[in-house]
Amino acid sequence: MKITNREVQPIVTPGGSAGTRLALENVSAGYGHVEVLRDISLHVAAGEIVALLGRNGAGKSTTLATIAGLIAPRAGRVILNGEVRTDSTARRVHSGLAYVVEERGVLLGLTAAQNLRLGRGSIEDALSYFPEIEPHLGRTAGLLSGGQQQMLAVARALASNPDVLLIDELSLGLAPMFVQRLLESLRRARDEGVAILLVEQHAQTALNVADRAYVLAQGQVVLTGTAEHLLSDFNRVESAYLGVS
Ligand SMILES: Nc1ncnc2c1ncn2[C@@H]1O[C@H](COP(=O)(O)OP(=O)(O)OP(=O)(O)O)[C@@H](O)[C@H]1O
Ligand SMILES: [Mg+2]
Protein backbone atom coordinates (compact mmCIF):
# COMPACT_ATOMS: atom_id res chain seq x y z
CA MET A 1 0.00 0.00 0.00
CA LYS A 2 1.30 3.44 -0.90
CA ILE A 3 1.63 5.72 2.08
CA THR A 4 1.51 9.43 1.33
CA ASN A 5 3.79 11.88 3.09
CA ARG A 6 0.81 13.32 4.81
CA GLU A 7 -0.05 9.98 6.40
CA VAL A 8 3.45 9.30 7.69
CA GLN A 9 4.15 12.81 8.95
CA PRO A 10 3.27 12.93 12.65
CA ILE A 11 2.24 16.25 14.08
CA VAL A 12 4.33 16.71 17.17
CA THR A 13 3.13 19.59 19.26
CA PRO A 14 5.54 20.46 22.06
CA GLY A 15 3.58 20.80 25.25
CA GLY A 16 0.35 20.39 23.32
CA SER A 17 -2.36 17.80 23.69
CA ALA A 18 -5.18 16.21 21.74
CA GLY A 19 -7.22 19.41 22.11
CA THR A 20 -4.55 21.62 20.55
CA ARG A 21 -6.04 23.82 17.85
CA LEU A 22 -3.09 26.09 17.15
CA ALA A 23 0.60 25.40 17.45
CA LEU A 24 3.78 27.09 16.34
CA GLU A 25 6.81 24.83 16.27
CA ASN A 26 10.22 26.48 16.28
CA VAL A 27 9.05 29.30 14.04
CA SER A 28 11.44 31.94 12.78
CA ALA A 29 10.10 34.75 10.60
CA GLY A 30 10.65 38.36 9.66
CA TYR A 31 10.49 41.03 7.00
CA GLY A 32 12.90 40.98 4.09
CA HIS A 33 16.32 40.30 5.55
CA VAL A 34 15.29 41.35 9.04
CA GLU A 35 14.67 38.41 11.33
CA VAL A 36 12.03 39.25 13.96
CA LEU A 37 10.79 35.94 15.40
CA ARG A 38 13.38 33.47 16.55
CA ASP A 39 12.49 29.89 17.27
CA ILE A 40 9.01 30.50 18.68
CA SER A 41 7.00 27.54 19.94
CA LEU A 42 3.56 27.92 21.46
CA HIS A 43 0.21 26.18 21.52
CA VAL A 44 -3.43 26.98 22.26
CA ALA A 45 -6.09 24.36 22.98
CA ALA A 46 -9.81 24.42 22.32
CA GLY A 47 -11.54 26.29 25.13
CA GLU A 48 -8.40 28.12 26.18
CA ILE A 49 -7.43 31.81 26.22
CA VAL A 50 -3.70 32.32 25.89
CA ALA A 51 -2.18 35.78 26.21
CA LEU A 52 0.78 36.87 24.12
CA LEU A 53 2.57 39.64 26.01
CA GLY A 54 5.65 41.76 25.51
CA ARG A 55 6.78 45.34 25.08
CA ASN A 56 6.45 47.38 21.87
CA GLY A 57 8.35 45.77 19.04
CA ALA A 58 8.70 42.38 20.79
CA GLY A 59 7.13 40.57 17.84
CA LYS A 60 3.52 40.00 18.95
CA SER A 61 1.84 41.27 15.79
CA THR A 62 4.42 39.49 13.65
CA THR A 63 3.55 36.25 15.44
CA LEU A 64 -0.16 36.66 14.69
CA ALA A 65 0.56 37.64 11.08
CA THR A 66 2.65 34.49 10.69
CA ILE A 67 -0.13 32.32 12.11
CA ALA A 68 -2.58 33.97 9.72
CA GLY A 69 -0.31 33.36 6.73
CA LEU A 70 0.49 37.00 5.97
CA ILE A 71 4.14 36.19 6.60
CA ALA A 72 5.78 32.89 5.62
CA PRO A 73 8.03 31.39 8.29
CA ARG A 74 11.69 30.96 7.39
CA ALA A 75 11.85 27.93 9.61
CA GLY A 76 9.41 25.92 11.70
CA ARG A 77 5.76 25.06 11.26
CA VAL A 78 2.35 26.68 11.76
CA ILE A 79 -0.23 24.04 12.67
CA LEU A 80 -3.98 24.68 12.73
CA ASN A 81 -6.35 21.91 13.75
CA GLY A 82 -3.54 19.37 13.44
CA GLU A 83 -2.53 20.36 9.90
CA VAL A 84 0.67 22.08 8.89
CA ARG A 85 -0.40 25.20 6.98
CA THR A 86 1.55 26.98 4.29
CA ASP A 87 -1.47 28.24 2.36
CA SER A 88 -3.04 31.70 2.04
CA THR A 89 -4.74 33.73 4.74
CA ALA A 90 -8.03 33.36 2.88
CA ARG A 91 -7.82 29.57 3.01
CA ARG A 92 -6.96 29.59 6.70
CA VAL A 93 -9.91 31.86 7.40
CA HIS A 94 -12.10 29.56 5.33
CA SER A 95 -11.11 26.63 7.51
CA GLY A 96 -11.80 28.22 10.88
CA LEU A 97 -9.33 30.99 11.65
CA ALA A 98 -10.58 34.44 12.68
CA TYR A 99 -8.20 37.38 13.02
CA VAL A 100 -8.94 40.77 14.57
CA VAL A 101 -6.02 42.87 13.36
CA GLU A 102 -4.27 45.63 15.32
CA GLU A 103 -6.18 48.35 13.43
CA ARG A 104 -9.47 46.42 13.99
CA GLY A 105 -10.11 45.84 10.30
CA VAL A 106 -13.41 47.73 10.37
CA LEU A 107 -14.14 49.50 7.07
CA LEU A 108 -14.94 53.00 8.25
CA GLY A 109 -16.90 54.06 5.16
CA LEU A 110 -19.36 51.17 5.44
CA THR A 111 -22.20 50.86 7.91
CA ALA A 112 -21.92 48.57 10.91
CA ALA A 113 -24.33 46.13 9.22
CA GLN A 114 -22.28 46.12 6.01
CA ASN A 115 -19.16 45.41 8.05
CA LEU A 116 -20.87 42.46 9.70
CA ARG A 117 -22.00 41.15 6.31
CA LEU A 118 -18.37 41.07 5.21
CA GLY A 119 -17.79 38.34 7.82
CA ARG A 120 -18.52 34.66 7.43
CA GLY A 121 -21.27 34.58 10.08
CA SER A 122 -24.75 36.04 10.36
CA ILE A 123 -25.66 39.44 11.77
CA GLU A 124 -27.87 37.64 14.29
CA ASP A 125 -24.92 35.64 15.62
CA ALA A 126 -22.80 38.78 15.81
CA LEU A 127 -25.55 40.57 17.76
CA SER A 128 -25.87 37.64 20.14
CA TYR A 129 -22.38 38.55 21.42
CA PHE A 130 -22.95 42.32 21.40
CA PRO A 131 -26.67 43.23 21.38
CA GLU A 132 -25.70 46.84 22.02
CA ILE A 133 -24.53 47.11 18.40
CA GLU A 134 -28.07 46.71 17.08
CA PRO A 135 -29.17 50.38 17.33
CA HIS A 136 -26.01 51.33 15.39
CA LEU A 137 -26.34 48.87 12.51
CA GLY A 138 -27.29 51.59 10.01
CA ARG A 139 -24.56 54.00 11.10
CA THR A 140 -21.31 54.50 9.25
CA ALA A 141 -18.66 52.60 11.18
CA GLY A 142 -16.32 55.62 11.08
CA LEU A 143 -18.81 57.50 13.27
CA LEU A 144 -18.81 54.82 15.96
CA SER A 145 -16.57 55.15 19.00
CA GLY A 146 -13.36 53.14 19.23
CA GLY A 147 -15.02 50.75 21.65
CA GLN A 148 -18.02 50.24 19.37
CA GLN A 149 -15.71 49.61 16.42
CA GLN A 150 -13.79 47.04 18.40
CA MET A 151 -17.06 45.34 19.44
CA LEU A 152 -17.99 45.25 15.76
CA ALA A 153 -14.66 43.66 14.84
CA VAL A 154 -14.86 41.06 17.61
CA ALA A 155 -18.55 40.37 16.93
CA ARG A 156 -17.80 39.75 13.25
CA ALA A 157 -14.95 37.41 14.16
CA LEU A 158 -16.97 35.45 16.71
CA ALA A 159 -20.02 35.19 14.46
CA SER A 160 -17.91 33.19 12.01
CA ASN A 161 -17.83 30.44 14.64
CA PRO A 162 -14.04 30.10 14.49
CA ASP A 163 -11.93 27.27 15.87
CA VAL A 164 -9.06 29.68 16.44
CA LEU A 165 -9.37 33.40 17.17
CA LEU A 166 -6.40 35.76 17.01
CA ILE A 167 -6.88 39.22 18.53
CA ASP A 168 -4.24 41.91 18.24
CA GLU A 169 -4.59 44.63 20.90
CA LEU A 170 -8.02 44.05 22.37
CA SER A 171 -8.18 47.04 24.66
CA LEU A 172 -5.86 49.68 23.20
CA GLY A 173 -7.28 53.13 23.90
CA LEU A 174 -10.68 51.86 25.07
CA ALA A 175 -12.72 52.85 28.11
CA PRO A 176 -12.86 50.22 30.90
CA MET A 177 -16.55 49.55 30.25
CA PHE A 178 -15.80 48.44 26.70
CA VAL A 179 -12.84 46.38 27.82
CA GLN A 180 -15.05 44.50 30.27
CA ARG A 181 -17.66 43.78 27.60
CA LEU A 182 -15.00 42.57 25.18
CA LEU A 183 -13.46 40.31 27.83
CA GLU A 184 -16.92 38.91 28.61
CA SER A 185 -17.35 37.95 24.97
CA LEU A 186 -13.99 36.17 25.00
CA ARG A 187 -14.95 34.19 28.09
CA ARG A 188 -18.14 33.10 26.37
CA ALA A 189 -16.23 32.12 23.23
CA ARG A 190 -13.78 30.13 25.34
CA ASP A 191 -16.69 28.32 27.00
CA GLU A 192 -17.95 27.51 23.51
CA GLY A 193 -14.60 25.86 22.73
CA VAL A 194 -12.79 28.54 20.74
CA ALA A 195 -8.98 28.59 21.05
CA ILE A 196 -8.04 32.24 21.60
CA LEU A 197 -4.62 33.87 21.27
CA LEU A 198 -4.84 37.36 22.71
CA VAL A 199 -2.28 40.12 22.25
CA GLU A 200 -2.81 42.77 24.88
CA GLN A 201 -0.73 45.74 26.05
CA HIS A 202 -2.04 45.56 29.59
CA ALA A 203 -0.52 42.43 31.04
CA GLN A 204 -2.73 42.44 34.14
CA THR A 205 -5.90 42.72 32.06
CA ALA A 206 -4.75 39.85 29.87
CA LEU A 207 -3.68 37.64 32.75
CA ASN A 208 -7.01 38.19 34.48
CA VAL A 209 -8.88 36.62 31.57
CA ALA A 210 -6.27 34.20 30.20
CA ASP A 211 -5.55 30.63 31.22
CA ARG A 212 -1.90 30.79 30.20
CA ALA A 213 0.51 33.31 28.72
CA TYR A 214 3.73 33.65 26.79
CA VAL A 215 5.98 36.70 27.13
CA LEU A 216 8.00 37.67 24.07
CA ALA A 217 11.12 39.78 24.09
CA GLN A 218 13.14 40.50 20.98
CA GLY A 219 11.25 37.87 19.05
CA GLN A 220 11.74 35.04 21.50
CA VAL A 221 9.58 33.43 24.16
CA VAL A 222 11.31 34.38 27.39
CA LEU A 223 8.64 33.32 29.89
CA THR A 224 5.55 31.13 29.87
CA GLY A 225 3.21 29.75 32.51
CA THR A 226 -0.33 29.71 33.82
CA ALA A 227 -1.94 33.09 34.28
CA GLU A 228 -2.39 32.34 37.97
CA HIS A 229 1.28 31.63 38.41
CA LEU A 230 2.39 34.65 36.41
CA LEU A 231 0.06 36.98 38.33
CA SER A 232 1.42 35.71 41.61
CA ASP A 233 4.99 36.37 40.41
CA PHE A 234 4.38 39.53 38.44
CA ASN A 235 7.91 40.87 38.96
CA ARG A 236 9.14 38.08 36.72
CA VAL A 237 6.68 39.12 34.03
CA GLU A 238 7.94 42.69 34.21
CA SER A 239 11.56 41.53 34.02
CA ALA A 240 10.67 39.30 31.07
CA TYR A 241 9.31 42.35 29.22
CA LEU A 242 12.81 43.75 29.35
CA GLY A 243 14.20 40.49 28.01
CA VAL A 244 15.57 39.40 31.37
CA SER A 245 14.18 35.94 32.09
N1 LIG B 1 6.48 45.63 7.84
C1 LIG B 1 7.60 45.60 8.55
N2 LIG B 1 8.81 45.71 7.94
C2 LIG B 1 9.96 45.67 8.65
N3 LIG B 1 10.02 45.53 9.99
C3 LIG B 1 8.85 45.43 10.65
C4 LIG B 1 7.60 45.47 9.96
N4 LIG B 1 6.60 45.33 10.89
C5 LIG B 1 7.22 45.22 12.07
N5 LIG B 1 8.56 45.27 11.93
C6 LIG B 1 9.56 45.18 13.01
O1 LIG B 1 9.43 43.92 13.63
C7 LIG B 1 9.60 44.03 15.04
C8 LIG B 1 8.39 43.44 15.74
O2 LIG B 1 7.25 44.22 15.41
P1 LIG B 1 5.78 43.80 15.86
O3 LIG B 1 4.86 44.75 15.19
O4 LIG B 1 5.59 42.34 15.62
O5 LIG B 1 5.87 44.07 17.42
P2 LIG B 1 4.69 44.12 18.49
O6 LIG B 1 5.14 43.27 19.64
O7 LIG B 1 3.40 43.80 17.87
O8 LIG B 1 4.76 45.65 18.95
P3 LIG B 1 3.57 46.66 19.41
O9 LIG B 1 3.32 46.35 20.84
O10 LIG B 1 4.19 48.02 19.22
O11 LIG B 1 2.38 46.44 18.52
C9 LIG B 1 9.83 45.50 15.32
O12 LIG B 1 11.22 45.70 15.45
C10 LIG B 1 9.29 46.20 14.11
O13 LIG B 1 9.99 47.39 13.87
MG1 LIG C 1 1.68 44.92 17.55
Side-chain angles (χ1 to χ4, degrees), residues 31 34 36 54-63 102 168-169 199 201:
Y31 306 91
V34 182
V36 173
R55 65 194 290 186
N56 294 120
K60 304 178 299 293
S61 297
T62 304
T63 302
E102 205 164 7
D168 204 346
E169 305 291 3
V199 168
Q201 286 288 339

mmCIF file of all heavy atoms in Angstrom, residues 31 34 36 54-63 102 168-169 199 201, ligand 1:
data_model
loop_
_atom_site.group_PDB
_atom_site.id
_atom_site.type_symbol
_atom_site.label_atom_id
_atom_site.label_comp_id
_atom_site.label_asym_id
_atom_site.label_seq_id
_atom_site.Cartn_x
_atom_site.Cartn_y
_atom_site.Cartn_z
ATOM 1 N N TYR A 31 10.826 40.198 8.152
ATOM 2 C CA TYR A 31 10.487 41.031 7.000
ATOM 3 C C TYR A 31 11.752 41.232 6.175
ATOM 4 O O TYR A 31 12.742 41.741 6.707
ATOM 5 C CB TYR A 31 9.964 42.392 7.467
ATOM 6 C CG TYR A 31 8.801 42.291 8.438
ATOM 7 C CD1 TYR A 31 9.020 42.234 9.811
ATOM 8 C CD2 TYR A 31 7.484 42.239 7.971
ATOM 9 C CE1 TYR A 31 7.962 42.148 10.704
ATOM 10 C CE2 TYR A 31 6.420 42.147 8.859
ATOM 11 C CZ TYR A 31 6.665 42.100 10.221
ATOM 12 O OH TYR A 31 5.625 42.000 11.090
ATOM 13 N N VAL A 34 15.300 41.118 7.588
ATOM 14 C CA VAL A 34 15.286 41.348 9.038
ATOM 15 C C VAL A 34 14.572 40.194 9.735
ATOM 16 O O VAL A 34 13.388 39.952 9.513
ATOM 17 C CB VAL A 34 14.545 42.667 9.370
ATOM 18 C CG1 VAL A 34 14.580 42.943 10.864
ATOM 19 C CG2 VAL A 34 15.147 43.815 8.586
ATOM 20 N N VAL A 36 12.749 38.700 12.797
ATOM 21 C CA VAL A 36 12.032 39.246 13.959
ATOM 22 C C VAL A 36 11.713 38.137 14.961
ATOM 23 O O VAL A 36 11.992 38.256 16.153
ATOM 24 C CB VAL A 36 10.737 39.968 13.510
ATOM 25 C CG1 VAL A 36 9.904 40.376 14.715
ATOM 26 C CG2 VAL A 36 11.077 41.191 12.667
ATOM 27 N N GLY A 54 4.298 41.284 25.820
ATOM 28 C CA GLY A 54 5.648 41.764 25.509
ATOM 29 C C GLY A 54 5.595 43.239 25.177
ATOM 30 O O GLY A 54 4.547 43.770 24.799
ATOM 31 N N ARG A 55 6.744 43.892 25.304
ATOM 32 C CA ARG A 55 6.781 45.337 25.076
ATOM 33 C C ARG A 55 6.655 45.648 23.584
ATOM 34 O O ARG A 55 6.677 44.742 22.750
ATOM 35 C CB ARG A 55 8.062 45.921 25.660
ATOM 36 C CG ARG A 55 9.312 45.422 24.954
ATOM 37 C CD ARG A 55 10.552 45.734 25.752
ATOM 38 N NE ARG A 55 10.827 47.157 25.757
ATOM 39 C CZ ARG A 55 11.931 47.696 26.291
ATOM 40 N NH1 ARG A 55 12.832 46.902 26.882
ATOM 41 N NH2 ARG A 55 12.133 48.978 26.249
ATOM 42 N N ASN A 56 6.550 46.935 23.270
ATOM 43 C CA ASN A 56 6.450 47.380 21.873
ATOM 44 C C ASN A 56 7.626 46.827 21.080
ATOM 45 O O ASN A 56 8.769 46.910 21.509
ATOM 46 C CB ASN A 56 6.463 48.904 21.778
ATOM 47 C CG ASN A 56 5.220 49.514 22.406
ATOM 48 O OD1 ASN A 56 5.319 50.293 23.334
ATOM 49 N ND2 ASN A 56 4.057 49.148 21.931
ATOM 50 N N GLY A 57 7.298 46.271 19.915
ATOM 51 C CA GLY A 57 8.349 45.767 19.038
ATOM 52 C C GLY A 57 8.847 44.373 19.378
ATOM 53 O O GLY A 57 9.774 43.863 18.749
ATOM 54 N N ALA A 58 8.224 43.715 20.367
ATOM 55 C CA ALA A 58 8.698 42.382 20.794
ATOM 56 C C ALA A 58 8.432 41.311 19.746
ATOM 57 O O ALA A 58 9.078 40.260 19.738
ATOM 58 C CB ALA A 58 8.042 41.992 22.108
ATOM 59 N N GLY A 59 7.435 41.550 18.882
ATOM 60 C CA GLY A 59 7.129 40.567 17.840
ATOM 61 C C GLY A 59 5.733 39.958 17.944
ATOM 62 O O GLY A 59 5.432 38.975 17.264
ATOM 63 N N LYS A 60 4.856 40.556 18.745
ATOM 64 C CA LYS A 60 3.518 39.996 18.954
ATOM 65 C C LYS A 60 2.693 40.005 17.665
ATOM 66 O O LYS A 60 2.124 38.985 17.264
ATOM 67 C CB LYS A 60 2.785 40.784 20.060
ATOM 68 C CG LYS A 60 3.551 40.835 21.366
ATOM 69 C CD LYS A 60 2.835 41.660 22.428
ATOM 70 C CE LYS A 60 2.602 43.120 22.076
ATOM 71 N NZ LYS A 60 3.847 43.928 21.988
ATOM 72 N N SER A 61 2.629 41.181 17.026
ATOM 73 C CA SER A 61 1.836 41.273 15.790
ATOM 74 C C SER A 61 2.444 40.404 14.694
ATOM 75 O O SER A 61 1.713 39.796 13.901
ATOM 76 C CB SER A 61 1.753 42.728 15.306
ATOM 77 O OG SER A 61 1.078 43.503 16.262
ATOM 78 N N THR A 62 3.757 40.333 14.657
ATOM 79 C CA THR A 62 4.420 39.490 13.655
ATOM 80 C C THR A 62 4.056 38.021 13.881
ATOM 81 O O THR A 62 3.847 37.266 12.925
ATOM 82 C CB THR A 62 5.949 39.688 13.725
ATOM 83 O OG1 THR A 62 6.230 41.087 13.560
ATOM 84 C CG2 THR A 62 6.670 38.906 12.645
ATOM 85 N N THR A 63 3.944 37.638 15.141
ATOM 86 C CA THR A 63 3.552 36.247 15.444
ATOM 87 C C THR A 63 2.148 35.970 14.903
ATOM 88 O O THR A 63 1.910 34.959 14.235
ATOM 89 C CB THR A 63 3.592 36.001 16.970
ATOM 90 O OG1 THR A 63 4.909 36.290 17.444
ATOM 91 C CG2 THR A 63 3.228 34.566 17.304
ATOM 92 N N GLU A 102 -4.618 44.540 14.403
ATOM 93 C CA GLU A 102 -4.267 45.629 15.323
ATOM 94 C C GLU A 102 -5.110 46.884 15.050
ATOM 95 O O GLU A 102 -5.494 47.592 15.965
ATOM 96 C CB GLU A 102 -2.772 45.916 15.171
ATOM 97 C CG GLU A 102 -2.125 46.546 16.366
ATOM 98 C CD GLU A 102 -0.588 46.451 16.307
ATOM 99 O OE1 GLU A 102 -0.036 46.012 15.276
ATOM 100 O OE2 GLU A 102 0.051 46.832 17.289
ATOM 101 N N ASP A 168 -5.399 41.053 18.032
ATOM 102 C CA ASP A 168 -4.240 41.913 18.243
ATOM 103 C C ASP A 168 -4.692 43.202 18.906
ATOM 104 O O ASP A 168 -5.429 43.991 18.308
ATOM 105 C CB ASP A 168 -3.561 42.201 16.888
ATOM 106 C CG ASP A 168 -2.098 42.571 17.068
ATOM 107 O OD1 ASP A 168 -1.697 42.852 18.218
ATOM 108 O OD2 ASP A 168 -1.372 42.569 16.061
ATOM 109 N N GLU A 169 -4.270 43.411 20.134
ATOM 110 C CA GLU A 169 -4.594 44.634 20.899
ATOM 111 C C GLU A 169 -6.087 44.777 21.136
ATOM 112 O O GLU A 169 -6.755 45.607 20.524
ATOM 113 C CB GLU A 169 -4.072 45.889 20.190
ATOM 114 C CG GLU A 169 -2.593 45.869 19.871
ATOM 115 C CD GLU A 169 -1.706 45.950 21.101
ATOM 116 O OE1 GLU A 169 -2.248 45.965 22.219
ATOM 117 O OE2 GLU A 169 -0.481 45.978 20.935
ATOM 118 N N VAL A 199 -3.365 39.161 22.050
ATOM 119 C CA VAL A 199 -2.282 40.124 22.251
ATOM 120 C C VAL A 199 -2.867 41.328 22.972
ATOM 121 O O VAL A 199 -3.906 41.857 22.573
ATOM 122 C CB VAL A 199 -1.673 40.569 20.906
ATOM 123 C CG1 VAL A 199 -0.768 41.782 21.097
ATOM 124 C CG2 VAL A 199 -0.893 39.430 20.280
ATOM 125 N N GLN A 201 -1.771 44.889 25.453
ATOM 126 C CA GLN A 201 -0.734 45.740 26.051
ATOM 127 C C GLN A 201 -0.737 45.663 27.577
ATOM 128 O O GLN A 201 0.303 45.714 28.205
ATOM 129 C CB GLN A 201 -0.943 47.206 25.642
ATOM 130 C CG GLN A 201 -0.574 47.523 24.217
ATOM 131 C CD GLN A 201 0.927 47.516 24.000
ATOM 132 O OE1 GLN A 201 1.710 47.647 24.935
ATOM 133 N NE2 GLN A 201 1.334 47.344 22.747
HETATM 134 N N1 LIG B 1 6.475 45.631 7.842
HETATM 135 C C1 LIG B 1 7.597 45.600 8.547
HETATM 136 N N2 LIG B 1 8.811 45.707 7.939
HETATM 137 C C2 LIG B 1 9.964 45.670 8.654
HETATM 138 N N3 LIG B 1 10.023 45.530 9.989
HETATM 139 C C3 LIG B 1 8.850 45.430 10.648
HETATM 140 C C4 LIG B 1 7.595 45.467 9.958
HETATM 141 N N4 LIG B 1 6.603 45.330 10.892
HETATM 142 C C5 LIG B 1 7.223 45.222 12.074
HETATM 143 N N5 LIG B 1 8.563 45.274 11.934
HETATM 144 C C6 LIG B 1 9.560 45.181 13.011
HETATM 145 O O1 LIG B 1 9.428 43.921 13.631
HETATM 146 C C7 LIG B 1 9.596 44.032 15.045
HETATM 147 C C8 LIG B 1 8.388 43.438 15.743
HETATM 148 O O2 LIG B 1 7.253 44.219 15.413
HETATM 149 P P1 LIG B 1 5.783 43.803 15.856
HETATM 150 O O3 LIG B 1 4.856 44.746 15.191
HETATM 151 O O4 LIG B 1 5.591 42.344 15.625
HETATM 152 O O5 LIG B 1 5.865 44.071 17.422
HETATM 153 P P2 LIG B 1 4.688 44.120 18.492
HETATM 154 O O6 LIG B 1 5.145 43.269 19.637
HETATM 155 O O7 LIG B 1 3.398 43.804 17.874
HETATM 156 O O8 LIG B 1 4.762 45.647 18.947
HETATM 157 P P3 LIG B 1 3.571 46.662 19.406
HETATM 158 O O9 LIG B 1 3.318 46.351 20.843
HETATM 159 O O10 LIG B 1 4.190 48.016 19.219
HETATM 160 O O11 LIG B 1 2.377 46.440 18.522
HETATM 161 C C9 LIG B 1 9.831 45.500 15.324
HETATM 162 O O12 LIG B 1 11.217 45.701 15.447
HETATM 163 C C10 LIG B 1 9.292 46.202 14.106
HETATM 164 O O13 LIG B 1 9.993 47.392 13.873
#
